[in-house]
Amino acid sequence: MAKRISQDQIAKELGVSQSLVSLVLNGRREGVAEESYKMIWAAALKQGYVPRGGMHPMHAPDVQHSYVGVVMRAGLALAAQSNTFSHVSHGLFTALQHLNISLAFLGGEGDLDETKLFEVVSRRDPLLGIVILGEVKEPFMQALGELELKLVSVYASSPGLCHSIVPNDKQSVEQLVDHLVALGHTRFAWLGGNAKLGRNRLRLAALKERLAARDLLLDDRYVVNAEGAERQDGFDCAAELMRRAEGQNMPTAWVCHNGLIARGGLQFAYLRGIKVPGEISIAAVDRTRACTEIHPYLTSAASDPELIGAEAAKLLRSQPEEIGQWNKMFIDLVAPSLFEAGETSATRPE
Amino acid sequence: MAKRISQDQIAKELGVSQSLVSLVLNGRREGVAEESYKMIWAAALKQGYVPRGGMHPMHAPDVQHSYVGVVMRAGLALAAQSNTFSHVSHGLFTALQHLNISLAFLGGEGDLDETKLFEVVSRRDPLLGIVILGEVKEPFMQALGELELKLVSVYASSPGLCHSIVPNDKQSVEQLVDHLVALGHTRFAWLGGNAKLGRNRLRLAALKERLAARDLLLDDRYVVNAEGAERQDGFDCAAELMRRAEGQNMPTAWVCHNGLIARGGLQFAYLRGIKVPGEISIAAVDRTRACTEIHPYLTSAASDPELIGAEAAKLLRSQPEEIGQWNKMFIDLVAPSLFEAGETSATRPE
DNA sequence: GACACATTTTAATAAATATAAGTTGACGAG
DNA sequence: CTCGTCAACTTATATTTATTAAAATGTGTC
């Protein structure tokens, strides 16, 4: 164990008096140059100065209170609707709660720069680790890596940088396709969201692949993608799809990027008087509340986001020796997908 | 400012030696009775002992890193759908972010007992205060009060216990009624949610009152309440309403407890082939994403939940002298309601 | 009653930190 | 120039905390 550092050592290193260091660390600003103030604090932090007087939270009885930080990919707000990440947070939250660990939202990718990240880490209450929700940019990930904290990436993997837990989208799509094919469907459509994110491509590719395996083809005209991934996007996708299918053999099986897209598509169908699941079947890669918020429940398949959150908690809690050195060996967990037949799919109409 | 306490004082009070206090606060457990260990820590925490050596995060330059805790009323999960509180959290979050204050979810009313609350407060990273979302039980509120922290209650007021910020539901309902009456509607219905919470009664009372002021009567048969306040509840309310109105003059203006109820009602209308807003108009006390998640946008009025969150942040940050002594004089803020004409209301059909 | 053992105190001191009082040097006014 | 003033420090010292060794206290055991 490194021996503790004293104010005197800091003072000597900086060429000032111990008194000044003491004043500064106690927050005295009057009569102290701003420059000195910052310099002394920076030195104290860097050298890992710990005040005497004890009382480090680490030693408090019973309590081992610490917290886990959460950062979100760019473009996501805390108030995001029924989106997957609120379920993930919930899973994380409940898993950590028993251990007296709380969850702090540190911000989104866009809000945090290196300075802010550093500040977060230099707090005293022990920060157990950080969970990253979604796909963030490489440099941001790098900056996080330099914090030397436990990191877990959720819904995106960062090979060589941290552990990750991702849903098994391939399996989800396969389950949906298999279900729909079993019901007799042959003409498929893809209603995609978040066109720019990798998850869209991944799911679409899985769809094409599985259909191919069943000797079916996904007509490119029936691949519709939207920028976002919310209800209105689903509605718009459905509208676009119908325009493209005008006068032709309509696809009877709509596979949707997520539940909100599916709900939007469903609403479009209601307005057009299209029967679901009488005329078309709708299925979504989803396992959020959107699936069961109201009847008809969605036919859906996805990895349980709460489970993913809970697993993230486990990864954070696990000791280095259990799962290899942090910052050395990384685990990529893939959460299994669960299929749930809902009320939006039925046998293909004649 | 209370003068700082020394280990010696703690020792004297407990009738032990200063050495022992020093040992304990530095985490020494060998050769120290478990009982003493806990006793000393408890005393140190209670008396607000602060180790010397300075470096309280509060004084770090630039950084004023601390956090605000959030607790939720019983029955709410973090993953709650598009509910108001996620908007409030978002408002809080963005308001605090600029100040380098982060948001930590401490749990729900049900998850936290006094011990846990105490632990939360005894962390060292400065906990700026706690925001309570929704109606919590009296004893829980009392327990919170004893923490001597800044408290702000949101969406429920706790006279004499803490500051609060509540929406102006009365005004919201008035705006909706005035709008609908101006469109010629005379037969109103109430689709209510969260039947057991005070907010339901408050809104319903406001509705009756405003209708009375316009010489209109709310027929009790057209007052439908559900246990929850989600989409399916809205659907069910609408179904129940239609059953009750069978063969009679249907109400043409549905006032909904919130946006999700309204969406559920809307879906019911779609399925029944009822035109909205051709045959009936739907309006909701709401200002969440549910209003604009998809077309038709809801006609709605409510206090902006993000604004409420931002105001909560202000209340937490304000200094005692600005707004009276904490724990003495309490402010009850009422956030103004904003009306937004949407696509679900139109003139009364003939 | 004597011994082993855990817990705590006493006492003494070293080490670290807080703080009052004093120094320094820069700057502006007269 | 020289005096006063002030911000920014330092010095010196008082106070507090850490650490150690030795002694005391109590508790159970043989």
Side-chain angles (χ1 to χ4, degrees):
Chain A
M1 197 208 274
K3 72 165 183 294
R4 90 194 300 165
I5 216 143
S6 72
Q7 291 181 353
D8 211 35
Q9 287 172 267
I10 296 171
K12 292 241 167 66
E13 166 172 314
L14 298 176
V16 297
S17 67
Q18 172 264 321
S19 329
L20 189 60
V21 174
S22 174
L23 288 177
V24 164
L25 293 184
N26 280 291
R28 168 88 141 265
R29 295 195 101 112
E30 313 108 62
V32 176
E34 190 59 24
E35 199 183 1
S36 310
Y37 194 93
K38 286 184 179 160
M39 175 182 74
I40 290 170
W41 265 89
L45 284 172
K46 202 178 84 206
Q47 310 224 6
Y49 169 79
V50 180
R52 36 193 51 228
M55 254 199 140
H56 198 282
M58 171 205 291
H59 297 132
D62 306 327
V63 197
Q64 184 124 20
H65 220 146
S66 58
Y67 55 96
V68 164
V70 172
V71 306
M72 283 170 286
R73 73 151 222 257
L76 283 186
L78 240 185
Q81 235 166 344
S82 109
N83 87 340
T84 309
F85 293 135
S86 67
H87 288 264
V88 175
S89 307
H90 187 241
L92 246 177
F93 182 76
T94 37
L96 294 174
Q97 193 167 42
H98 305 290
L99 309 163
N100 268 317
I101 296 170
S102 57
L103 205 58
F105 284 87
L106 304 180
E109 182 180 3
D111 311 318
L112 294 164
D113 51 21
E114 278 166 49
T115 324
K116 283 219 175 158
L117 283 174
F118 178 74
E119 285 165 8
V120 162
V121 180
S122 57
R123 348 162 99 196
R124 278 174 111 177
D125 221 19
L127 184 58
L128 210 93
I130 292 183
V131 174
I132 301 120
L133 300 181
E135 283 174 47
V136 299
K137 305 229 163 45
E138 185 71 23
F140 184 71
M141 206 60 220
Q142 295 278 359
L144 283 171
E146 278 159 23
L147 297 178
E148 311 221 346
L149 273 174
K150 292 189 178 187
L151 295 179
V152 173
S153 170
V154 172
Y155 276 71
S157 79
S158 284
L161 273 174
C162 70
H163 298 287
S164 66
I165 310 177
V166 295
N168 195 336
D169 283 346
K170 192 155 171 291
Q171 189 188 5
S172 306
V173 171
E174 287 172 8
Q175 289 167 331
L176 294 178
V177 168
D178 291 354
H179 169 76
L180 291 166
V181 167
L183 290 171
H185 293 274
T186 54
R187 292 193 306 284
F188 282 73
W190 168 249
L191 307 194
N194 285 338
K196 295 218 178 92
L197 295 184
R199 223 122 272 280
N200 175 304
R201 288 191 292 280
L202 225 139
R203 291 177 187 178
L204 178 55
L207 176 61
K208 286 182 174 163
E209 194 178 310
R210 191 58 165 191
L211 284 174
R214 300 314 209 83
D215 290 327
L216 294 169
L217 188 71
L218 180 64
D219 191 326
D220 271 345
R221 276 174 312 165
Y222 301 150
V223 172
V224 189
N225 282 301
E227 280 291 302
E230 315 243 332
R231 288 178 147 87
Q232 185 65 51
D233 299 303
F235 189 95
D236 296 342
C237 279
E240 171 68 15
L241 176 65
M242 291 301 281
R243 196 161 46 245
R244 294 193 194 170
E246 197 95 39
Q248 316 198 17
N249 261 349
M250 254 245 290
T252 59
W254 297 2
V255 178
C256 302
H257 179 262
N258 71 14
L260 293 181
I261 296 264
R263 287 284 170 202
L266 198 55
Q267 177 154 339
F268 179 84
Y270 284 152
L271 280 177
R272 276 292 184 92
I274 301 172
K275 294 266 176 304
V276 177
E279 299 171 60
I280 59 164
S281 290
I282 296 182
V285 180
D286 201 300
R287 207 179 168 76
T288 68
R289 302 207 163 189
C291 296
T292 55
E293 66 185 19
I294 194 169
H295 291 288
Y297 287 1
L298 300 177
T299 289
S300 57
S303 305
D304 183 353
E306 300 208 3
L307 179 76
I308 288 182
E311 286 298 323
K314 265 196 218 157
L315 276 183
L316 283 172
R317 296 251 324 142
S318 58
Q319 294 308 305
E321 51 276 17
E322 285 178 41
I323 53 170
Q325 292 292 307
W326 281 97
N327 297 322
K328 295 216 174 118
M329 281 252 301
F330 298 109
I331 294 180
D332 268 28
L333 279 184
V334 178
S337 170
L338 293 170
F339 173 80
E340 190 92 36
E343 302 156 354
T344 56
S345 57
T347 50
R348 177 174 62 112
E350 282 321 298
Chain B
M1 196 208 268
K3 72 168 185 293
R4 93 191 300 164
I5 215 141
S6 71
Q7 291 182 354
D8 212 35
Q9 286 172 269
I10 295 172
K12 291 240 167 65
E13 167 173 314
L14 297 176
V16 298
S17 65
Q18 175 262 322
S19 328
L20 190 61
V21 173
S22 175
L23 290 176
V24 164
L25 293 184
N26 281 290
R28 168 88 141 265
R29 295 193 102 114
E30 314 108 60
V32 175
E34 190 59 25
E35 199 183 2
S36 310
Y37 193 93
K38 287 184 179 162
M39 175 182 73
I40 290 170
W41 264 89
L45 288 171
K46 201 177 87 210
Q47 309 223 8
Y49 170 78
V50 181
R52 28 194 60 226
M55 250 199 145
H56 198 282
M58 171 203 292
H59 297 133
D62 308 325
V63 198
Q64 186 128 15
H65 220 147
S66 58
Y67 55 96
V68 164
V70 172
V71 306
M72 283 170 286
R73 73 153 223 255
L76 283 187
L78 240 185
Q81 236 166 342
S82 110
N83 85 341
T84 309
F85 293 134
S86 67
H87 288 264
V88 175
S89 307
H90 188 242
L92 245 177
F93 182 77
T94 37
L96 293 174
Q97 193 167 41
H98 304 291
L99 309 163
N100 269 317
I101 296 170
S102 57
L103 205 58
F105 284 87
L106 304 180
E109 182 181 4
D111 310 319
L112 294 164
D113 51 20
E114 279 166 49
T115 323
K116 283 218 174 156
L117 283 174
F118 179 74
E119 285 167 7
V120 163
V121 180
S122 58
R123 348 162 102 197
R124 270 175 119 178
D125 220 19
L127 184 58
L128 211 93
I130 292 182
V131 175
I132 302 118
L133 299 181
E135 284 175 48
V136 299
K137 305 228 164 45
E138 185 72 23
F140 184 72
M141 206 59 220
Q142 295 278 359
L144 283 171
E146 278 159 22
L147 298 179
E148 312 222 347
L149 272 176
K150 293 188 178 186
L151 295 179
V152 174
S153 170
V154 172
Y155 276 71
S157 79
S158 285
L161 272 174
C162 70
H163 299 285
S164 66
I165 311 176
V166 295
N168 195 337
D169 283 346
K170 193 155 171 292
Q171 190 189 3
S172 306
V173 170
E174 288 173 7
Q175 289 167 331
L176 294 178
V177 169
D178 291 356
H179 168 77
L180 292 165
V181 167
L183 290 172
H185 293 274
T186 55
R187 292 193 307 283
F188 282 73
W190 168 249
L191 306 194
N194 285 338
K196 295 217 178 93
L197 295 183
R199 222 123 274 280
N200 175 305
R201 289 190 291 280
L202 225 140
R203 291 177 187 177
L204 178 54
L207 176 60
K208 287 182 175 162
E209 194 178 307
R210 189 58 164 192
L211 285 175
R214 301 312 210 86
D215 289 326
L216 294 169
L217 188 71
L218 180 64
D219 191 326
D220 270 345
R221 276 174 313 165
Y222 301 150
V223 172
V224 189
N225 282 301
E227 279 292 302
E230 315 242 334
R231 288 180 146 88
Q232 185 65 50
D233 298 303
F235 189 95
D236 297 341
C237 279
E240 171 68 16
L241 176 65
M242 293 301 281
R243 196 160 48 246
R244 293 193 195 171
E246 197 95 39
Q248 316 198 18
N249 260 351
M250 254 245 290
T252 60
W254 297 2
V255 179
C256 302
H257 179 264
N258 70 15
L260 293 180
I261 297 263
R263 286 283 169 202
L266 198 55
Q267 177 155 337
F268 178 84
Y270 284 151
L271 281 176
R272 277 292 185 93
I274 301 171
K275 294 267 177 304
V276 178
E279 299 171 60
I280 59 165
S281 290
I282 296 182
V285 179
D286 201 300
R287 208 178 168 76
T288 68
R289 301 206 164 189
C291 296
T292 55
E293 67 185 19
I294 194 169
H295 290 287
Y297 288 1
L298 300 176
T299 290
S300 58
S303 305
D304 183 352
E306 300 209 2
L307 179 76
I308 288 182
E311 287 298 323
K314 265 196 217 157
L315 277 182
L316 283 172
R317 296 251 326 142
S318 59
Q319 294 308 304
E321 52 275 18
E322 285 178 42
I323 54 170
Q325 292 292 308
W326 280 97
N327 299 321
K328 295 218 173 114
M329 281 252 302
F330 297 110
I331 295 180
D332 268 28
L333 278 184
V334 178
S337 170
L338 292 170
F339 172 80
E340 191 91 37
E343 302 155 354
T344 56
S345 58
T347 50
R348 177 174 62 112
E350 282 320 299

